[in-house]
Amino acid sequence: MKLFVYHTPESTPNDQVPECAIAVDVLRATSTIATVLAAGGEAVQVFSDLDQLIEVSETWPSEKRLRAGERGGAKVAGFELGNSPLDCTPELVQGRRLFISTTNGTRALQRVQDSPNVLAAALINRAAIVQYLLDKQPEIVWIVGSGWEGSFSLEDTVCAGAIAHSIVQHTQLPPEKLAGNDEVISAIALYSQWQNNLLELFHQASHGQRLLRLDCQADLKYCSQTDILDVLPIQREMGVLKSQKINS
């Protein structure tokens, strides 16, 4: 297994498709996706375009759907939800499909959707992602951060580092044997430095500061937790993620 970390969807190679692709948007799309599926949501369907989301979701019965839209960190007018995982309670999402479009995370998922194995990762479901990789042993794995409007983000890179760090620990392989690019080594280093104080790192991150200005302190605290959800969001059809039991 070779791991490659890409800080943004735009930095991925254009002419390649990995055996396994992991999209990361810790603040907050992939954290929300994992939370919805862990809470009993039927599926999460991702869109980069709001108009397309509305058009497709209209084909679903209103009692079986939820629309989540976020731009610039704020909720899109007319949608039931923004992009806060804390709003995705079992009472609200049980048995329903979440149709979601966000500033960055859904673009990352759409960039890698042609991979035969597409996962959505956050810190909160890191262990499930790692277990899948250890079980399946895909030859080439891309971990693709969402960044912020095309630029590097601390929170996505530290999550990539958390995944890589855990695989190093489980396999006992030196990082340079697993790393397909230098970004893997730097991501592991970032996680190693901040693993015991991830919330403080989020407070220093530009998008963390943006969310603090929007009074989303509780979201930062929730998303900075590691391994609290045993859920594996995996793409079952183009743009549609469902929960898969670990080891299946």
Side-chain angles (χ1 to χ4, degrees):
M1 180 165 39
K2 279 286 186 185
L3 303 179
F4 294 79
V5 168
Y6 297 102
H7 297 311
T8 65
E10 293 81 5
S11 63
T12 58
N14 289 322
D15 56 348
Q16 300 173 33
V17 176
E19 184 180 346
C20 178
I22 303 169
V24 178
D25 185 12
V26 175
L27 296 176
R28 294 165 289 172
T30 53
S31 295
T32 296
I33 289 168
T35 301
V36 167
L37 294 177
E42 180 267 335
V44 178
Q45 190 162 351
V46 301
F47 299 84
S48 56
D49 182 76
L50 290 169
D51 291 335
Q52 186 185 21
L53 183 158
I54 293 169
E55 181 181 347
V56 173
S57 64
E58 284 290 344
T59 66
W60 281 68
S62 58
E63 69 275 10
K64 290 291 187 181
R65 72 175 186 233
L66 286 167
R67 293 167 174 161
E70 170 267 320
R71 289 294 183 269
K75 177 175 171 286
V76 173
F79 282 49
E80 290 98 339
L81 296 168
N83 191 21
S84 173
L86 296 178
D87 291 338
C88 301
T89 61
E91 294 79 13
L92 181 64
V93 306
Q94 180 79 38
R96 303 172 87 174
R97 177 168 294 203
L98 184 74
F99 297 84
I100 186 170
S101 180
T102 70
T103 306
N104 303 294
T106 49
R107 291 198 303 72
L109 280 160
Q110 291 198 320
R111 168 62 190 92
V112 299
Q113 66 185 4
D114 291 330
S115 169
N117 301 285
V118 176
L119 311 175
L123 287 164
I124 56 176
N125 71 326
R126 187 268 307 258
I129 298 293
V130 169
Q131 191 60 55
Y132 175 90
L133 296 176
L134 294 173
D135 290 343
K136 303 298 184 183
Q137 290 289 320
E139 185 176 349
I140 300 294
V141 179
W142 289 3
I143 307 175
V144 182
S146 299
W148 177 262
E149 296 183 345
S151 62
F152 171 94
S153 68
L154 284 168
E155 66 276 4
D156 293 344
T157 301
V158 83
C159 182
I163 294 167
H165 182 270
S166 183
I167 291 172
V168 167
Q169 287 190 317
H170 280 92
T171 62
Q172 296 295 300
L173 289 171
E176 63 269 20
K177 293 291 186 183
L178 282 167
N181 60 4
D182 285 355
E183 287 89 336
V184 175
I185 305 298
S186 66
I188 291 173
L190 182 67
Y191 176 72
S192 297
Q193 180 177 349
W194 288 95
Q195 60 182 308
N196 296 319
N197 203 1
L198 291 167
L199 181 57
E200 176 59 29
L201 179 68
F202 286 11
H203 282 200
Q204 295 189 27
S206 60
H207 191 41
Q209 294 175 34
R210 191 176 293 110
L211 291 173
L212 287 173
R213 291 193 292 271
L214 293 167
D215 296 323
C216 295
Q217 164 72 22
D219 278 0
L220 293 189
K221 186 174 182 180
Y222 175 78
C223 294
S224 69
Q225 300 175 97
T226 307
D227 304 338
I228 63 168
L229 296 182
D230 187 22
V231 62
L232 184 78
I234 188 165
Q235 182 174 264
R236 287 307 185 199
E237 57 186 274
M238 198 68 79
V240 178
L241 295 113
K242 296 192 174 188
S243 177
Q244 176 175 299
K245 295 293 184 185
I246 312 303
N247 298 321
S248 66

